[in-house]
Amino acid sequence: MANSPSGDSMIDRLVRVLASFDPDHQSLGAEEIAERAELPKSTAHRLIGEMMRHDLLQRDPTGRIRIGVGMWELSNRASDAVDLASVSRPHMMGVHEFVGENTQLGILREREVLIIERMSAPNAVIHRSKTAGRLPAHASSCGLVLLAYAPKHQREAYLRGPLAALTEKTTTDPAALRTMLTSIRSHHFAELSGHIDEGTTGITVPVFDAGGAAIAGLGVVIDSEHRKGVPAIMRVLRTASARITQDLTADHRFAD
């Protein structure tokens, strides 16, 4: 790939354009993309035009730019995350019907949790996580579950990195996080209140593959003040997790 005068490749620039979009910026103007991608305006305009010709980007009715259907088509062809979401969805529906607020499935990607499936009700508590959105692992119940079951060297590497606080309740002290992770491994679930959004509680259990590795976190995000009892939610989550594992074991896509 040809490099720009600054030394970055075409792929680097394309990725930066795509990374300009996030759950809070789902549509952008061309100049906003240039600024967020740290590209000259002329380069950004040229890349946007080329990406639109391949349906990687598209314009919405207001003329602003969004991720295009071509990206959706590509992401649905060979993604293990898409397959995992598909297998998990029927069991998530049972959890969602019981809880009546938000149910989600997340996987660990470097220092963040990637939400690969999410279900929400019209009257559910509002929170930050969205399908295809990312959250800091140390601030979310799903992230802590996955860190708890990750290899020790991976946990320690994470704890040495930046640990930003999203609210005043977010735990950022490495020693305190180590204690939390030990407890999660002992009790096989995580419960966090107000660590990402004030007034919300996240409860997550691990989802295991056929080999016993924790590959995802299945959880709910609910209103901290109006919720069903945690033991009842835990039973529903653990039953759904066990059934997902059974289906993964029987699915040839997840065979060793």
Side-chain angles (χ1 to χ4, degrees):
M1 288 293 178
N3 287 344
S4 70
S6 62
D8 53 350
S9 70
M10 175 65 77
I11 293 229
D12 289 332
R13 285 171 273 167
L14 290 174
V15 169
R16 295 214 303 274
V17 168
L18 293 171
S20 299
F21 300 90
D22 59 35
D24 296 320
H25 301 87
Q26 297 186 28
S27 65
L28 297 166
E31 292 191 1
E32 292 176 293
I33 293 174
E35 180 179 354
R36 290 172 65 84
E38 300 180 347
L39 292 170
K41 292 180 182 179
S42 59
T43 301
H45 278 277
R46 178 174 56 79
L47 287 176
I48 290 167
E50 293 177 359
M51 295 172 78
M52 289 179 68
R53 284 194 291 276
H54 292 280
D55 289 331
L56 301 179
L57 298 176
Q58 64 187 49
R59 290 194 183 275
D60 66 17
T62 69
R64 289 170 68 79
I65 299 160
R66 300 176 61 92
I67 296 293
V69 294
M71 287 297 300
W72 178 84
E73 291 174 330
L74 290 171
S75 68
N76 277 274
R77 287 180 187 170
S79 171
D80 289 342
V82 172
D83 292 340
L84 175 58
S86 176
V87 170
S88 303
R89 197 171 293 121
H91 306 295
M92 292 180 65
M93 289 178 64
V95 175
H96 182 58
E97 289 171 1
F98 177 79
V99 175
E101 291 202 51
N102 304 286
T103 303
Q104 60 191 30
L105 185 74
I107 58 177
L108 195 60
R109 287 294 180 265
E110 297 181 353
R111 298 187 60 79
E112 297 175 308
V113 170
L114 172 63
I115 304 300
I116 61 174
E117 183 60 274
R118 179 175 177 267
M119 301 174 182
S120 186
N123 61 344
V125 64
I126 297 174
H127 64 108
R128 299 190 199 198
S129 58
K130 298 177 175 65
T131 303
R134 292 177 180 250
L135 299 168
H138 68 281
S140 70
S141 60
C142 183
L144 287 180
V145 161
L146 293 172
L147 283 174
Y149 285 90
K152 182 177 179 180
H153 72 272
Q154 186 176 349
R155 293 197 304 271
E156 290 302 314
Y158 185 96
L159 294 175
R160 288 194 296 270
L163 301 169
L166 277 65
T167 73
E168 62 180 14
K169 293 184 178 180
T170 306
T171 303
T172 59
D173 176 64
L177 285 168
R178 286 189 187 93
T179 299
M180 293 169 68
L181 294 174
T182 299
S183 176
I184 291 166
R185 287 195 300 277
S186 297
H187 297 95
H188 313 296
F189 81 100
E191 178 184 0
L192 292 181
S193 295
H195 284 227
I196 288 183
D197 295 293
E198 297 286 354
T200 68
T201 294
I203 305 170
T204 300
V205 301
V207 174
F208 299 99
D209 65 12
I215 58 171
L218 173 64
V220 298
V221 179
I222 54 180
D223 188 322
S224 296
E225 295 184 358
H226 303 92
R227 57 179 181 154
K228 297 178 182 290
V230 172
I233 292 175
M234 289 298 309
R235 285 194 295 271
V236 171
L237 284 172
R238 284 177 169 149
T239 297
S241 173
R243 290 174 176 170
I244 292 170
T245 297
Q246 289 175 353
D247 287 354
L248 293 176
T249 302
D251 194 316
H252 70 277
R253 292 172 297 180
F254 297 90
D256 292 335

